Amino acid sequence: MAKDEPAERMKRKDYEKQLEKLQVELCHLQDYVRANKLRVIVLFEGRDAAGKGGTIKAITEKVSPRVFRVVALPAPSDREKTQLFFQRYMEQFPAGGEIAIFDRSWYNRAGVEYVMGFCTPAEHRRFLSLCPQMEQYVIDGGIILIKIWLEVGMDEQERRFRARIDDPVRQWKLSPMDLHSYSRWYDYSRARDLMLKATSTEHAPWYIIRSDDKRRARLNCIAHLLSAIPYKRVKKDKVKLPRRSNKGRYNDQASLKGMNFVAERY
């Protein structure tokens, strides 16, 4: 295969085999984070249809939502618009034993807000200037910060958008803002470049994952997270089920007679 040709899409069977192994390791990571009260932020950015939601789902599918907590904030309220810009995000920062996964983050200001005119050029410049300082403060406070940019190609994004249009269970993913982002590809490219140049620092670098092949992207992302957060397997006592007590035994199924059961249609 020539170097400039895209890699063949990963087969589902191979993907599921590798994903299972990585999800086991995520469970070990979860035990370590909980036992050692680590605080971790993983934030995902990228164009619309880059695969953020599916990647986050692959990460969180087999772990506890009490440890892996997904943060997907809506548009700011009128009150929140008057707060310090970072304020509503910092309210979602992890406590000990938590991994906060941001499905989009404060970098909205460097992307959609900047491109669509929801912030002024001065506010955009101020954000790019102050963001590295804020992230240094967060890291100095003991939080592990991991920043992921999912890079989807122009043709693949179009394919995914068209698939959403034709699929009734995915149409909800296609918003008016998505259509604006589709039509302004190069504006978003320039905004991405400005953001990466200003905020990919030694203390908080950006990591870019090509996501035209969703399956490879998910596996590569999980493997990166496991390498970016130092952990060891936590030794646990073997679980044994206790004996059930027969004290107070009664027919607990007969007592449900006459209750409203859902019809068994399947």
Side-chain angles (χ1 to χ4, degrees), residues 20-265:
E20 183 178 9
K21 295 178 182 177
L22 291 171
Q23 287 179 331
V24 169
E25 288 303 313
L26 284 172
C27 289
H28 291 308
L29 171 63
Q30 171 179 256
D31 292 339
Y32 187 84
V33 167
R34 187 159 44 189
N36 291 274
K37 303 297 182 184
L38 295 187
R39 292 173 293 156
V40 182
I41 293 175
V42 182
L43 66 85
F44 285 89
E45 293 291 341
R47 301 178 193 271
D48 293 306
K52 295 181 290 295
T55 302
I56 292 171
K57 181 179 179 181
I59 294 169
T60 59
E61 188 175 22
K62 303 295 184 179
V63 292
S64 170
R66 294 182 179 86
V67 178
F68 285 76
R69 179 167 54 85
V70 178
V71 181
L73 297 181
S77 64
D78 290 340
R79 180 176 182 275
E80 288 172 332
K81 290 177 182 178
T82 67
Q83 296 175 341
L84 290 173
F85 175 72
F86 289 108
Q87 187 170 338
R88 75 188 192 117
Y89 296 102
M90 296 189 79
E91 290 174 351
Q92 301 294 330
F93 278 16
E98 290 183 351
I99 298 176
I101 300 178
F102 280 80
D103 184 354
R104 293 200 181 277
S105 65
W106 47 93
Y107 282 99
N108 271 344
R109 174 132 299 179
V112 64
E113 290 189 20
Y114 172 58
V115 174
M116 301 307 299
F118 298 148
C119 69
T120 66
E123 288 173 328
H124 176 249
R125 289 192 298 270
R126 178 173 172 79
F127 171 81
L128 293 182
S129 173
L130 293 179
C131 188
Q133 299 176 45
M134 186 278 287
E135 291 176 352
Q136 182 70 70
Y137 171 78
V138 170
I139 294 167
D140 288 346
I143 292 177
I144 298 172
L145 175 61
I146 303 170
K147 303 189 301 190
I148 305 292
W149 175 272
L150 295 179
E151 178 66 17
V152 66
M154 181 186 289
D155 293 341
E156 179 62 18
Q157 187 197 51
E158 179 176 348
R159 189 193 69 78
R160 292 176 187 178
F161 276 161
R162 293 192 182 281
R164 291 178 181 183
I165 291 172
D166 298 331
D167 188 343
V169 301
R170 287 191 287 176
Q171 286 176 357
W172 64 270
K173 292 185 176 183
L174 196 61
S175 70
M177 198 61 65
D178 294 334
L179 300 178
H180 283 299
S181 72
Y182 174 81
S183 65
R184 302 183 66 173
W185 176 272
Y186 291 108
D187 290 335
Y188 275 91
S189 293
R190 293 187 180 91
R192 175 205 62 194
D193 295 344
L194 287 171
M195 180 196 77
L196 293 177
K197 183 178 180 181
T199 64
S200 190
T201 59
E202 185 176 350
H203 60 272
W206 279 99
Y207 290 93
I208 300 173
I209 297 174
R210 294 198 178 277
S211 63
D212 281 2
D213 186 332
K214 290 182 178 181
R215 292 168 183 165
R216 293 185 192 277
R218 293 167 188 170
L219 298 179
N220 288 330
C221 181
I222 296 174
H224 173 68
L225 294 182
L226 291 170
S227 67
I229 307 171
Y231 74 99
K232 297 178 181 178
R233 295 194 176 188
V234 177
K235 187 176 181 180
K236 296 185 290 186
D237 295 332
K238 189 174 181 179
V239 177
K240 293 183 179 180
L241 284 176
R243 292 183 61 185
R244 280 192 174 134
S245 171
N246 284 322
K247 186 178 180 180
R249 182 176 180 176
Y250 74 106
N251 189 341
D252 59 355
Q253 293 303 301
S255 62
L256 297 177
K257 187 176 181 180
M259 302 298 290
N260 295 319
F261 280 82
V262 172
E264 295 184 359
R265 297 185 173 91

